[in-house]
Amino acid sequence: MLIFEHSRKNRRNYSQAPATRPAKSNIPDNLKRKSAPLLPEVSEMDTVRHYTRLSQKNFSIDTEFYPLGSCTMKYNPRACNSLAMLPQFLAHHPLAPEDTGQGFLACMYELQEILKDVTGMSAVSLTSMAGAQGELIGITMIRAYHDARGDTERTEIIIPDAAHGTNPATATMCGYKVIEIPTNREGDVDMDALKAAVGPKTAGLMLTNPSTLGVFEKKVAEMSQIVHEAGGLLYYDGANLNAVLGKVKPGDMGFDVIHMNLHKTFSTPHGGGGPGAAPVGVADCLLPYLPIPIVAHEQGVYRWLTEKDRPQSIGRLSAHMGNAGVLLRAYIYVRLLGAEGMFRIAEYATLNANYLMAELRKLGFEIAYPTRRASHEFIVTMKEIKDRTGVTAMHLAKRLLDKGFHAPTVYLCLLIEPAETESKETLDRFVAAMKEILDEIETQPETVKTAPHAMPLKKIDDVKAARELDLVWNPAG
Amino acid sequence: MSVPAELKYAKSHEWIRLEADGTVTIGITQHAQELLGDMVFVELPKTGRSLKQDEDCAVVESVKAASDIYAPISGEVIAVNDEVESSPEKINEDCYSAWLFKLKPGNAAEIDGLLDASGYEELLASEAH
Amino acid sequence: MPFIPHTEDDVAEMLASIGAASIDELFDEIPAELKNGKLTRVPTGMSEMEIARLMYERAQQDGFYLNFIGAGAYEHHIPAAVWQITTRGEFYSSYTPYQAEASQGTLQLLYEYQTMMASLTGMDVSNASLYDGASALAEAALMAVRQHKSSRRILIPQTVHPVYRKVVRTIVKNQKIEVVEVPYDPATGQVAADKLEQFAREEFAALVIPQPNFFGVLEQVDMLTDWAHDKQSLAIAVVNPTALAMLKPPGEWGHQGADIAVGEGQPLGIPLSSGGPYFGFMACKQELVRQMPGRIIGRTTDLEGKEGFALTLQAREQHIRRSKATSNICTNQGLMVTAATIYMALLGPEGLYRVAAQSHANTLTLAERLENLSGVKRAFQGPFFHEVALQLSVPADKVLNKLKAQGVLGGVLLEQDYPELKNTLLICATETKTTADLDKYTEMLQQALTT
């Protein structure tokens, strides 16, 4: 039942809105609204019940294991939320003078310093509001770098075919042509293809390491050399930074610009699809182009750097300071962890992934890159099972929902990332569920193919959703 | 896999029928239809538009994928199939009768460069590996 | 310390299963020369008690002020239920609703949100949100160029938020889209109708129309919308959602209505919070829906015919379309939209109207009182919503400092972005301001002007 269907004409919440309906106005009649918008008229209790019930229809980290590959669904510590929501922080207007926000700015400055250290980059801007925006910033800076050198013939960005879809979409948004290069059987980028692809038109290479295939790109130093020798720059998509935190720094791998997803590695909430935050780090060559604002610390005072301080900056990407409240949560998280905690994250994320991979392999699941270590995630291929039984990765994913586990990331395969915050018992329960499903595939494949069964709804008809677009409720039906 | 012998084919999985009046009719093949799955949206070029060979000129969309349709030969669009725009599922039902658009060829020589049924079957066999 | 539950026994058993001697061995594929375990600027970890103490101190250092600043971010009362429900773990810690059957809560909420925003803006459809108001305008500009096909130029009045204009430039310039600015009428603070004439013969993909504009002034939206449509350009509305409870929605502007409506969603239950996270909203006419970026939810059924919700039109998006996607946007501001939906449900049409009307009346009252002071005059004669620009006869920065010393944030200086507007303050008094607050501001400004 929709909130609108709970609505009764003239039902109101008297305590939440102003008590009176002032008539004082200078708005001309022709600019006034003539009919009320379609908002529900419901009591506070009805509203609370409705949205509490809706929340209960969601899977979440707080309620289920969520092994979504490349999404790093780790526990979101409660302290990060409650301390970021202290009333003074919430009340602070973004355009209030800097001297009224020194406490907040101190947190932002320290976060910049910590992220520089962790990634091995020269400077960090916190403004980016999501991974895709971080990419946009990075590629825009690469363009600014080439343009500033008068090198305007570079029109191509090279991207491995296994990359996340945002990479090619970003390159196109930045006016570049995308050159996709293949991956070899070991899961590494095909070096010959890379060598053939680079040239005077190469503006840069976008790379995720460890890759979306769940393995560490061993020849990253050589790739860096090939691209740099051709005059291009290297972009690091930090989607999988959790796997190498404290082990390898993107700066040491030769990257010129990176974004890091705080909603993954630094445990800010996913919130049902945002807000994210994806600070961007740069090497010296891109320093002048970093987007503003950036926090500076001068003579004991924190202040925002603006266009005046950074005339070559690519500019601004948000009206104020990006997703400031998300950054505050990440700051609290990194202070809780400390340096010693950082090292352990990658270690235990990797331990969990390799353990899960080993256990699933013992059950008979086929691993995509069996000769490789898992990074913090790995791929189970479903080809043999599908060819033999017709059960697909998506069928298996839906059946996992019935067993109380969120599905892994599904392409034609399953990309599984357990994250460091899960205990061995949880992983063992997941393995047991996978075993049950494996048995079902042999004995009663239809049960798997028609899953889910234990959810409030059966499989959703997304073909109907696309063919008969119903995007807005209409009271007339 | 159905690959009618009387049709011509493009590597990007369009079929082309040479009509008696010298025009050509274009659709997508059974292989393309199966790969895309349940069709939910089709966008076709405007009648009168002149297309270059290999120019992307239409889009077919399923829930899980979207695919550009490329002009197999150059020419002027003389008709589009409104029926598949309003009912994209017709492509799934019978992709060889649910045509997309018709062209008046701009360069007849390009037609000779298209694949015949056996050539297209070879292409499918090689892509299966 | 990290949030890791493993006991020593767990680790031993897990390593045995893997067949590795140590955790370190799991990193043996990383070339030794790349390994770098040194962190020099990350401090030692803190306990929850210690970090709480630090954050309390920093929050206290920032303190509370009586705030009259608006300029794109507005202080409104947020009912307690909004964030109590929004921060429930099932909303807070869930992922993007790609697995529809395990995400019906978020999906239904987003469908309700789309319905509310479409109605509020008077448009046919809405997406499930974008990053913020500024980037939403940039996306609308890209969308207009895709739709228009023939022109790659966008007309943006100088009455649009200055930072929005900057963000649009940052985002569209890579695609060789030109931004052309339209001056404002110095008397009214509105888009100068006579200056529009100079663009009459040129082709533009769209005209951006703010309502209210950055000065708080109401634009002649019907005339502007028709002007755009007469020359085959799209009309992009940039609107304040609170104001829409009182003001004619973009879908009803002019003869045909605006084509796209975007704006900053922050006024709908999102705290000021130093500038974010907020959310951008975007609504449009039905015929533009496939050009709209971002996530969109559709109502459908499950295989047994029960009502359900799913992400739809996904083929436009980057994870399928890759380099041909409508935008690289992958995220929406899901949690912020959760709060906004609960906010709109709690207030209802009458409550939201009262918030708007009280904010408008408070600003009008304050403006009248301040105008009566000697040395203060209204910068523009056009009608306004809940912000007003006032010109002072003395240096305005000094006045603001004096107010700040007494705990009042008196507005922002327009001179930074409009050098011609010397000593001019942009002031906002929302429904959160009492009569006593307005008195206090008036008294303090009077003192500051005379001392």
Side-chain angles (χ1 to χ4, degrees):
Chain A
M1 199 163 165
L2 296 168
I3 188 76
F4 307 103
E5 294 166 294
H6 292 285
S7 180
R8 290 296 175 272
K9 194 165 172 50
N10 296 329
R11 183 171 287 160
R12 281 165 51 201
N13 289 307
Y14 296 92
S15 302
Q16 281 93 359
T20 57
R21 197 176 206 274
K24 185 181 177 70
S25 173
N26 68 357
I27 301 175
D29 244 14
N30 68 325
L31 296 181
K32 281 187 183 156
R33 184 168 194 125
K34 300 288 186 277
S35 61
L38 178 66
L39 300 181
E41 298 176 90
V42 285
S43 70
E44 173 165 343
M45 189 176 75
D46 285 345
T47 309
V48 168
R49 279 190 188 153
H50 177 75
Y51 290 107
T52 301
R53 284 201 190 114
L54 283 192
S55 78
Q56 290 164 338
K57 293 183 178 179
N58 274 358
F59 273 33
S60 68
I61 302 175
D62 282 5
T63 49
E64 279 90 14
F65 176 42
Y66 230 99
L68 266 179
S70 275
C71 298
T72 311
M73 300 298 283
K74 61 169 80 177
Y75 175 61
N76 305 143
R78 278 289 181 268
C80 301
N81 186 52
S82 62
L83 296 174
M85 292 189 79
L86 291 174
Q88 293 93 336
F89 292 139
L90 295 187
H92 191 259
H93 193 287
L95 298 175
E98 285 159 349
D99 59 357
T100 67
Q102 290 289 300
F104 167 75
L105 286 174
C107 299
M108 294 299 102
Y109 181 79
E110 289 170 21
L111 180 61
Q112 284 175 189
E113 292 298 303
I114 289 168
L115 295 178
K116 273 156 68 175
D117 195 9
V118 169
T119 58
M121 306 307 284
S122 302
V124 163
S125 164
L126 301 173
T127 189
S128 164
M129 293 179 280
Q133 200 178 49
E135 294 175 28
L136 183 81
I137 290 168
I139 302 303
T140 303
M141 283 195 281
I142 288 176
R143 181 180 277 283
Y145 166 86
H146 292 307
D147 285 352
R149 293 154 49 96
D151 193 354
T152 53
E153 301 302 306
R154 297 185 181 272
T155 53
E156 297 173 353
I157 294 280
I158 301 171
I159 301 174
D161 58 2
H164 192 262
T166 50
N167 287 182
T170 300
T172 306
M173 258 190 107
C174 292
Y176 282 112
K177 187 176 167 207
V178 174
I179 307 293
E180 287 207 350
I181 51 171
T183 311
N184 66 24
R185 276 162 200 269
E186 283 275 280
D188 288 320
V189 166
D190 182 329
M191 294 301 279
D192 292 331
L194 175 64
K195 282 175 197 158
V198 297
K201 286 188 175 172
T202 304
L205 167 78
M206 295 179 88
L207 192 69
T208 312
N209 195 18
S211 73
T212 303
L213 303 178
V215 295
F216 190 87
E217 198 68 68
K218 287 174 287 196
K219 292 188 174 168
V220 62
E222 193 184 333
M223 294 170 74
S224 161
Q225 198 185 350
I226 292 169
V227 174
H228 280 140
E229 276 174 7
L233 297 182
L234 260 79
Y235 184 90
Y236 182 85
D237 179 332
N240 296 332
L241 187 63
N242 208 54
V244 291
L245 204 62
K247 294 289 173 193
V248 194
K249 299 183 179 184
D252 295 338
M253 289 191 264
F255 289 94
D256 303 291
V257 49
I258 86 162
H259 85 262
M260 46 213 126
N261 296 302
L262 300 187
H263 47 283
K264 297 179 181 176
T265 316
F266 296 97
S267 193
T268 65
H270 282 82
V280 171
V282 292
D284 287 336
C285 64
L286 292 176
L287 207 54
Y289 313 110
L290 206 55
I292 42 183
I294 303 163
V295 188
H297 190 211
E298 295 160 353
Q299 285 103 44
V301 177
Y302 298 97
R303 73 174 184 94
W304 293 117
L305 296 181
T306 67
E307 288 84 352
K308 281 182 194 143
D309 305 287
R310 293 292 174 96
Q312 285 182 280
S313 165
I314 60 157
R316 293 178 186 267
L317 278 300
S318 79
H320 302 293
M321 178 41 238
N323 286 335
V326 178
L327 298 168
L328 210 45
R329 284 167 175 80
Y331 172 74
I332 296 161
Y333 178 72
V334 295
R335 293 302 307 267
L336 278 165
L337 293 185
E340 67 279 27
M342 296 262 181
F343 297 122
R344 294 181 57 189
I345 284 182
E347 291 176 355
Y348 285 78
T350 304
L351 176 67
N352 275 0
N354 281 279
Y355 174 67
L356 209 48
M357 182 168 86
E359 292 291 308
L360 291 180
R361 187 190 307 189
K362 286 173 198 166
L363 291 183
F365 282 102
E366 192 181 335
I367 306 298
Y369 302 102
T371 61
R372 303 292 304 267
R373 294 281 185 207
S375 60
H376 65 328
E377 61 188 352
F378 60 94
I379 291 177
V380 170
T381 61
M382 289 291 294
K383 189 166 186 325
E384 187 275 329
I385 290 177
K386 180 181 175 255
D387 289 350
R388 188 164 52 80
T389 67
V391 172
T392 65
M394 188 56 90
H395 293 145
L396 192 153
K398 298 286 183 203
R399 187 62 180 146
L400 270 171
L401 301 179
D402 283 339
K403 314 254 175 206
F405 296 97
H406 194 279
T409 300
V410 179
Y411 299 110
L412 294 171
C413 52
L414 299 170
L415 180 62
I416 302 177
E417 177 185 358
E420 76 279 2
T421 49
E422 297 296 340
S423 66
K424 177 170 176 295
E425 301 94 277
T426 302
L427 303 183
D428 288 342
R429 281 196 300 113
F430 179 75
V431 171
M434 290 288 276
K435 166 131 185 34
E436 282 172 29
I437 297 174
L438 203 54
D439 293 343
E440 285 172 356
I441 289 173
E442 302 303 330
T443 57
Q444 39 178 332
E446 281 312 305
T447 308
V448 182
K449 285 183 194 171
T450 52
H453 303 286
M455 304 297 291
L457 293 177
K458 299 279 187 183
K459 192 173 177 324
I460 293 284
D461 188 348
D462 48 7
V463 173
K464 180 177 173 184
R467 280 186 185 156
E468 302 165 23
L469 281 186
D470 172 359
L471 311 180
V472 165
W473 184 70
N474 178 354
Chain B
M1 181 78 59
S2 160
V3 180
E6 69 276 17
L7 301 178
K8 295 274 192 183
Y9 297 89
K11 282 181 185 157
S12 45
H13 306 290
E14 291 89 8
W15 56 258
I16 300 97
R17 189 169 61 224
L18 310 178
E19 308 292 353
D21 61 1
T23 64
V24 299
T25 304
I26 291 153
I28 67 167
T29 65
Q30 178 72 5
H31 173 76
Q33 177 274 118
E34 280 181 12
L35 215 58
L36 285 162
D38 291 322
M39 235 41 99
V40 297
F41 178 68
V42 176
E43 188 182 307
L44 298 175
K46 285 211 170 78
T47 308
R49 181 171 155 192
S50 81
L51 300 173
K52 286 194 279 262
Q53 189 175 27
D54 297 332
E55 183 177 346
D56 56 0
C57 58
V59 180
V60 290
E61 217 178 88
S62 69
V63 170
K64 59 182 183 190
S67 183
D68 290 308
I69 305 298
Y70 300 91
I73 58 168
S74 51
E76 184 194 328
V77 180
I78 52 169
V80 298
N81 188 357
D82 299 332
E83 216 178 26
V84 297
E85 267 190 318
S86 54
S87 307
E89 63 273 15
K90 294 212 182 294
I91 297 175
N92 299 114
E93 287 159 13
D94 183 355
C95 63
Y96 294 109
S97 67
W99 57 279
L100 300 180
F101 56 94
K102 292 176 190 283
L103 286 181
K104 186 175 155 198
N107 177 1
E110 286 167 357
I111 297 174
D112 301 336
L114 296 169
L115 299 171
D116 61 13
S118 65
Y120 183 62
E121 276 172 345
E122 270 172 44
L123 175 82
L124 291 181
S126 71
E127 281 190 359
H129 294 292
Chain C
M1 288 307 288
F3 295 79
I4 292 171
H6 301 63
T7 65
E8 279 180 29
D9 288 348
D10 290 340
V11 175
E13 285 173 38
M14 293 167 81
L15 286 172
S17 166
I18 298 166
S22 66
I23 291 181
D24 233 23
E25 200 180 310
L26 303 176
F27 293 90
D28 55 9
E29 289 188 5
I30 301 180
E33 65 275 16
L34 290 179
K35 284 192 188 167
N36 179 348
K38 287 198 203 84
L39 293 174
T40 55
R41 276 171 292 180
V42 183
T44 312
M46 297 172 105
S47 68
E48 188 173 299
M49 187 174 80
E50 289 166 332
I51 184 75
R53 177 78 177 263
L54 176 72
M55 297 309 286
Y56 290 142
E57 285 168 9
R58 289 193 170 164
Q60 218 150 27
Q61 184 187 353
D62 292 355
F64 291 108
Y65 289 82
L66 186 61
N67 172 44
F68 289 89
I69 303 175
Y74 302 97
E75 182 182 295
H76 290 291
H77 173 68
I78 302 173
V82 171
W83 283 90
Q84 286 210 3
I85 303 295
T86 301
T87 52
R88 281 181 65 93
E90 300 94 326
F91 284 132
Y92 187 78
S93 73
S94 59
Y95 190 67
T96 305
Y98 289 129
Q99 289 290 340
E101 297 84 357
S103 319
Q104 284 297 302
T106 290
L107 287 166
Q108 181 176 333
L109 181 142
L110 291 173
Y111 178 82
E112 293 176 0
Y113 162 83
Q114 288 173 185
T115 302
M116 294 180 194
M117 291 315 295
S119 173
L120 203 54
T121 55
M123 307 301 285
D124 299 322
V125 290
S126 159
N127 72 6
S129 80
L130 297 164
Y131 304 135
D132 71 350
S135 58
L137 178 57
E139 288 288 345
L142 295 175
M143 187 173 157
V145 168
R146 284 195 296 274
Q147 178 71 14
H148 192 271
K149 294 198 171 83
S150 135
S151 170
R152 299 183 75 77
R153 305 171 78 207
I154 302 283
L155 262 183
I156 305 190
Q158 285 171 350
T159 58
V160 171
H161 196 306
V163 180
Y164 283 33
R165 284 182 274 139
K166 288 180 188 172
V167 171
V168 170
R169 283 177 195 278
T170 307
I171 293 177
V172 308
K173 77 175 167 211
N174 287 323
Q175 297 189 31
K176 305 209 162 37
I177 292 168
E178 189 190 351
V179 174
V180 179
E181 298 204 343
V182 190
Y184 64 92
D185 180 334
T188 63
Q190 296 167 325
V191 174
D194 53 331
K195 298 277 169 44
L196 267 181
E197 280 316 303
Q198 72 190 73
F199 302 108
R201 283 159 205 280
E202 298 174 41
E203 194 181 26
F204 292 94
L207 169 69
V208 175
I209 307 169
Q211 184 75 326
N213 70 25
F214 183 66
F215 303 134
V217 172
L218 300 178
E219 297 279 6
Q220 298 171 47
V221 291
D222 294 331
M223 177 275 287
L224 294 170
T225 305
D226 288 341
W227 186 87
H229 286 154
D230 282 350
K231 62 202 303 319
Q232 268 69 55
S233 301
L234 278 79
I236 300 174
V238 189
V239 283
N240 176 313
T242 309
L244 289 181
M246 287 186 90
L247 299 179
K248 187 194 280 185
E252 295 173 16
W253 293 357
H255 290 106
Q256 298 167 34
D259 302 283
I260 307 170
V262 294
E264 175 53 68
Q266 176 274 330
L268 301 172
I270 313 300
L272 290 169
S273 182
S274 292
Y278 298 167
F279 70 95
F281 60 86
M282 177 182 267
C284 70
K285 287 184 178 166
Q286 186 74 41
E287 57 264 34
L288 294 175
V289 66
R290 281 175 188 277
Q291 295 297 348
M292 186 156 61
R295 293 186 184 135
I296 301 174
I297 313 308
R299 184 164 65 158
T300 177
T301 55
D302 73 358
L303 295 182
E304 290 182 346
K306 268 167 82 177
E307 178 183 84
F309 303 86
L311 288 165
T312 193
L313 294 177
Q314 290 193 76
R316 300 162 301 119
E317 291 190 67
Q318 43 71 33
H319 65 276
I320 289 174
R321 256 333 227 153
R322 298 179 76 87
S323 65
K324 292 205 163 182
T326 50
S327 164
N328 72 339
I329 285 193
C330 179
T331 193
N332 62 341
Q333 301 278 97
L335 199 65
M336 303 297 119
V337 170
T338 305
T341 307
I342 299 172
Y343 175 87
M344 288 189 277
L346 278 171
L347 285 177
E350 177 63 19
L352 193 65
Y353 182 88
R354 287 183 178 210
V355 170
Q358 190 69 56
S359 301
H360 175 57
N362 279 354
T363 305
L364 201 54
T365 303
L366 183 62
E368 287 166 0
R369 290 191 195 176
L370 299 181
E371 272 181 291
N372 281 332
L373 302 178
S374 131
V376 181
K377 63 170 192 169
R378 272 190 43 202
F380 305 114
Q381 294 316 307
F384 54 88
F385 175 57
H386 69 353
E387 277 179 286
V388 62
L390 296 176
Q391 195 178 25
L392 308 186
S393 58
V394 298
D397 53 343
K398 296 208 171 104
V399 169
L400 284 183
N401 279 335
K402 285 181 192 168
L403 295 183
K404 185 175 71 185
Q406 300 183 69
V408 175
L409 301 178
V412 292
L413 296 172
L414 287 175
E415 193 175 337
Q416 290 161 356
D417 294 296
Y418 301 88
E420 67 281 12
L421 297 174
K422 306 266 183 247
N423 296 319
T424 308
L425 289 180
L426 185 64
I427 300 171
C428 173
T430 64
E431 90 285 5
T432 58
K433 299 299 170 285
T434 63
T435 310
D437 294 335
L438 304 183
D439 290 343
K440 184 174 179 186
Y441 191 100
T442 312
E443 234 169 80
M444 286 175 41
L445 184 64
Q446 185 167 22
Q447 281 174 16
L449 288 166
T450 50
T451 54

